[in-house]
Amino acid sequence: MRKIVCLTLALLVILGGCAKTPETETQVQPGSVVVGFSQLGAESSWRMANTASMESAAKNYGFALMMENANQKQELQIRSIRSFIASRVDVIVFSPIVETNWDNVLREAKQAGIPVILMDRMIETTDDSLFTAYVGADFYAEGRRAGEYLVRKADALGADHLNIVEISGTIDSTPMRDRQRGFMDVIGGDPRFTVIESISGDFLRSKGEECMTDLLARFGADGIDVLYSHNDSMTLGALDVMEKAGVRPGRDILVISVDGEAEAVRALKDGRINCIVQCTPALGGSVMALVQGLVNNRSIPRVSHPVEAVFSDFDDLTDPSVEGF
Ligand code: AHR
């Protein structure tokens, strides 16, 4: 019986020229489903890995991916979405660089009857019907995890007061807003902690360097106890600057980072970073599963968050599960 089913499926694939999709009940002609994807930029290793994840998942599902990269500019993302609408794509996926000012273009997509999936970042809107689903991290929970690590570390060190500097991500982006809010909600009421400065490094390694240079010049290494940086790219830039200035990151200044890229995980294992709150870029599979659901007229979940971990100097860092992307 099983043999017959397999043979029948194989014949269907050969005769129909159909793509092999992870969901066997529907076979799509390769390339017949078109996904318009506006990626926000190429600012970090996270973003590169995220783009690769979207490309390979679309390929696995047999979807044609019409991808445009907005190079960190909202106006280019809006232009791309308009071009996807004009091309009558089946589904639009985009990662909004900031949360505000999407309603007009999303109303145009809605009027054209094209569903929109938000990938990675959220938008601020009063009309929830302007998007169908969101797939991405719970950034607020990530911020809380960073704060919880710091509380535990301060307890372990018996620290009575710690001065914190924050290098945040792109102003008004979801990860910037929520990683800050989550962190502050955990440490804010604790008199042992003072955030002495918060500046934006736009998720870029080069700006992480600039921010750390500025922070060291203003506060001196002795005036800073903790760096909380919203992504690994900026953290790695900050580590370079600290080390050039003779400061030992991880020892003289505690370093808390977010993402989990391979170079940062190596730095964690070397003791140059104390904690990495994981944020996975591998969202492509979940996004394309939702596209498949929409194609099949199935109802799909409104919000999907990946499961994420925390790696820190409290863990056994020789464990093979502690690895980067
Ligand atoms: O939106 C996710 C964030 O964007 C990642 O943490 C960061 O590395 C990226 O640029």
Side-chain angles (χ1 to χ4, degrees):
M1 178 67 175
R2 204 167 149 253
K3 216 172 177 181
I4 294 169
V5 173
C6 289
L7 272 174
T8 312
L9 276 178
L11 272 175
L12 275 175
V13 170
I14 294 163
L15 294 176
C18 294
K20 203 170 116 204
T21 66
E23 308 235 355
T24 46
E25 88 270 29
T26 301
Q27 303 286 321
V28 293
Q29 294 284 342
S32 67
V33 173
V34 181
V35 179
F37 170 42
S38 166
Q39 179 59 287
L40 69 83
E43 74 283 6
S44 60
S45 301
W46 189 99
R47 188 65 51 197
M48 311 291 203
N50 176 249
T51 301
S53 160
M54 288 290 287
E55 286 171 333
S56 82
K59 202 165 162 210
N60 287 343
Y61 275 79
F63 300 152
L65 192 67
M66 197 183 269
M67 183 172 85
E68 291 191 9
N69 196 307
N71 200 20
Q72 307 274 103
K73 292 189 173 60
Q74 183 174 32
E75 61 273 23
L76 292 188
Q77 286 204 282
I78 291 174
R79 196 184 297 169
S80 297
I81 293 169
R82 290 214 164 101
S83 79
F84 298 148
I85 296 169
S87 305
R88 312 265 342 137
V89 300
D90 297 289
V91 180
I92 291 172
V93 180
F94 84 111
S95 51
I97 172 118
V98 289
E99 292 198 337
T100 48
N101 293 325
W102 298 103
D103 281 15
N104 287 344
V105 72
L106 294 186
R107 222 168 272 128
E108 292 166 33
K110 188 181 170 187
Q111 274 154 13
I114 302 175
V116 171
I117 297 174
L118 305 179
M119 191 274 301
D120 168 35
R121 298 185 184 177
M122 188 40 95
I123 60 166
E124 206 178 273
T125 180
T126 49
D127 182 356
D128 281 348
S129 74
L130 293 181
F131 67 95
T132 304
Y134 167 72
V135 178
D138 182 341
F139 297 116
Y140 176 75
E142 290 178 351
R144 289 196 65 93
R145 287 178 200 129
E148 282 155 10
Y149 164 81
L150 184 56
V151 170
R152 186 174 171 198
K153 189 73 181 178
D155 289 346
L157 293 172
D160 51 16
H161 191 262
L162 294 172
N163 281 336
I164 302 163
V165 292
E166 176 182 53
I167 304 182
S168 81
T170 304
I171 304 276
D172 287 340
S173 67
T174 318
M176 179 268 159
R177 287 178 167 183
D178 286 358
R179 285 174 186 163
Q180 183 170 77
R181 196 165 52 89
F183 184 71
M184 289 312 294
D185 279 356
V186 173
I187 63 140
D190 189 326
R192 288 177 299 173
F193 306 116
T194 308
V195 178
I196 55 171
E197 183 57 293
S198 174
I199 43 176
S200 172
D202 222 2
F203 288 124
L204 292 161
R205 185 169 181 149
S206 57
K207 287 211 183 158
E209 279 178 33
E210 279 171 30
C211 289
M212 199 65 224
T213 305
D214 175 50
L215 291 165
L216 284 178
R218 284 158 62 205
F219 301 104
D222 291 342
I224 303 171
D225 302 304
V226 180
L227 166 66
Y228 172 40
S229 159
H230 287 197
N231 86 343
D232 287 341
S233 294
M234 297 187 298
T235 305
L236 291 166
L239 293 195
D240 289 344
V241 170
M242 285 188 218
E243 281 163 346
K244 272 190 204 130
V247 179
R248 295 167 306 172
R251 297 172 73 181
D252 302 328
I253 296 179
L254 297 175
V255 179
I256 305 172
S257 188
V258 187
D259 274 356
E261 68 173 82
E263 191 180 343
V265 171
R266 276 197 299 278
L268 173 74
K269 292 182 181 188
D270 292 344
R272 297 160 64 229
I273 291 179
N274 304 84
C275 173
I276 297 177
V277 176
Q278 194 188 31
C279 178
T280 179
L283 302 175
S286 306
V287 170
M288 297 308 159
L290 295 190
V291 172
Q292 177 83 340
L294 290 172
V295 168
N296 289 335
N297 282 319
R298 283 202 306 266
S299 70
I300 60 170
R302 174 87 178 155
V303 174
S304 315
H305 293 310
V307 176
E308 296 177 328
V310 178
F311 305 133
S312 83
D313 51 12
F314 288 116
D315 301 322
D316 172 10
L317 297 174
T318 61
D319 188 305
S321 68
V322 183
E323 58 168 0
F325 54 80

